[in-house]
Amino acid sequence: MALLSPNPITPVTSGAGRGPVQNKHAVFIQRHGPAEAPRYKVSGCRAAAQCRWREGNMPQCDTGSLPRDGPRGQVSGAAAAGAFPKRVKVVEVGPRDGLQNEKNVVPTPVKINLINMLSETGLQVIETTSFVSPKWVPQMADHTEVMQGINKLPGISYPVLTPNLKGFQAAVAAGAKEVSIFGAASELFTKKNINCSIEESLERFDEVMTAARAASIPVRGYVSCVLGCPYEGKISAAKVAEVSKKMYSMGCYEISLGDTIGVGTPGSMKEMLTAVMKEVPVGALAVHCHDTYGQALANILVALQMGVSVVDASVAGLGGCPYAQGASGNVATEDLVYMLNGLGIHTGVDLQKLMDTGTFICNALNRRTNSKVSQASCRL
């Protein structure tokens, strides 16, 4: 993870021991006054039946026996007992974080089709693109065309990444209604990523936050390298808490904690969250886990048990980090939804449509999906 409304969103039910639920509109309105935004809604999940070959000899997957989301799905004893949140908001980052590190430029129509397909899955949040300099991230050079070319459905948020005021202004001009800023808990990573210190990066964000408040645009904050850095190694939980607190205090409605290189374990995730939750309300936290060491789902499970109810993921497990060598993709959205369905946690996401979308983008990129669920569900 790097270069990377009067009508409220349906609140996420709190887990055991959690305080009042917060959402971006409630937090933003409380701090900055009302803003116009559409009412959010979620749809149920449907599973398909047969595995059949599609265009380009790409398989459609058999999910007839997969756990179902919705009232007819069995709710696990853990969820019923309140150990997990009843709902989880899945933030899809594939179109931005998933594609930004692709060596070959992905055609703009493919990006637009990917986002439009994701919009049909029941996802509430789809991170669309990044308004960064093409010099630094050539893959995102078509940000305006993508933003203006997608079908924006009611009830879905399409945030974009904006590293500075110039990027923010360009994003707003292209029609963005929500933006994200990104920092890090590592000095060296921040220097290599956005060419400044942590403190200097926060000063840059202040310009964006001021402009966002004036335009009534919610801002989400990313903190990279929360469980390890490719340059500094282990990052102290206290440092993560410090940066998270500063970004939250600046006005970010939500702080996404990113294990950028995927080195975290359930133990380090628990330690880090324990520190951060002393500074930032758990209802304003999200986790963003890369799966380099195969620990992403285990780390997310720990976060859920601690009350976190927002999780970032990337369709087909796409992703990496241009400034974190060896980092694999984000946790696959398909695998996350499968796990949440099995826990009886509602997401509103249609798993079959999600896997169809993963098939589409993998076909376009000429690669195999990184989703274990999609791999296991296909009769090849």
Side-chain angles (χ1 to χ4, degrees), residues 326-341:
S328 68
N330 296 276
V331 64
T333 314
E334 300 93 319
D335 298 355
L336 172 65
V337 171
Y338 178 88
M339 182 183 79
L340 295 175
N341 287 352

Side-chain angles (χ1 to χ4, degrees), residues 58 64 88 131 141:
M58 295 299 291
V88 162
F131 281 78

Side-chain angles (χ1 to χ4, degrees), residues 38-50:
R39 183 176 300 276
Y40 280 62
K41 58 185 178 181
V42 295
S43 61
C45 175
R46 298 174 298 175
Q50 301 294 324

Side-chain angles (χ1 to χ4, degrees), residues 343-379:
L343 290 168
I345 298 174
H346 180 75
T347 63
V349 178
D350 185 321
L351 183 53
Q352 179 59 54
K353 288 184 177 181
L354 194 59
M355 290 199 296
D356 289 345
T357 305
T359 296
F360 163 77
I361 191 59
C362 288
N363 195 4
L365 299 177
N366 192 30
R367 67 171 54 179
R368 191 183 185 194
T369 180
N370 288 322
S371 164
K372 297 295 192 295
V373 169
S374 292
Q375 291 175 17
S377 301
C378 293
R379 303 189 188 109

Side-chain angles (χ1 to χ4, degrees), residues 183-249:
S186 160
E187 287 287 356
L188 283 178
F189 185 86
T190 304
K191 182 66 176 178
K192 290 180 178 291
N193 192 16
I194 52 179
N195 197 31
C196 65
S197 68
I198 292 176
E199 198 59 40
E200 289 170 337
S201 71
L202 294 175
E203 292 174 3
R204 292 182 186 179
F205 299 155
D206 191 53
E207 288 185 324
V208 176
M209 297 305 301
T210 299
R213 281 193 292 272
S216 296
I217 290 181
V219 181
R220 189 180 200 236
Y222 283 105
V223 181
S224 301
C225 299
V226 299
L227 297 179
C229 171
Y231 312 111
E232 294 184 17
K234 181 175 173 57
I235 300 296
S236 74
K239 186 63 176 180
V240 179
E242 176 189 342
V243 175
S244 300
K245 179 182 180 181
K246 288 181 178 179
M247 293 182 73
Y248 182 70
S249 298

Side-chain angles (χ1 to χ4, degrees), residues 30 42 61 63 103-104 135 141 210 223 236 282 291 295 337 374:
Q30 182 181 13
V42 295
C61 301
T63 60
K103 294 181 180 179
N104 298 320
K135 174 185 175 181
T210 299
V223 181
S236 74
V282 67
D291 202 33
Q295 300 292 295
V337 171
S374 292

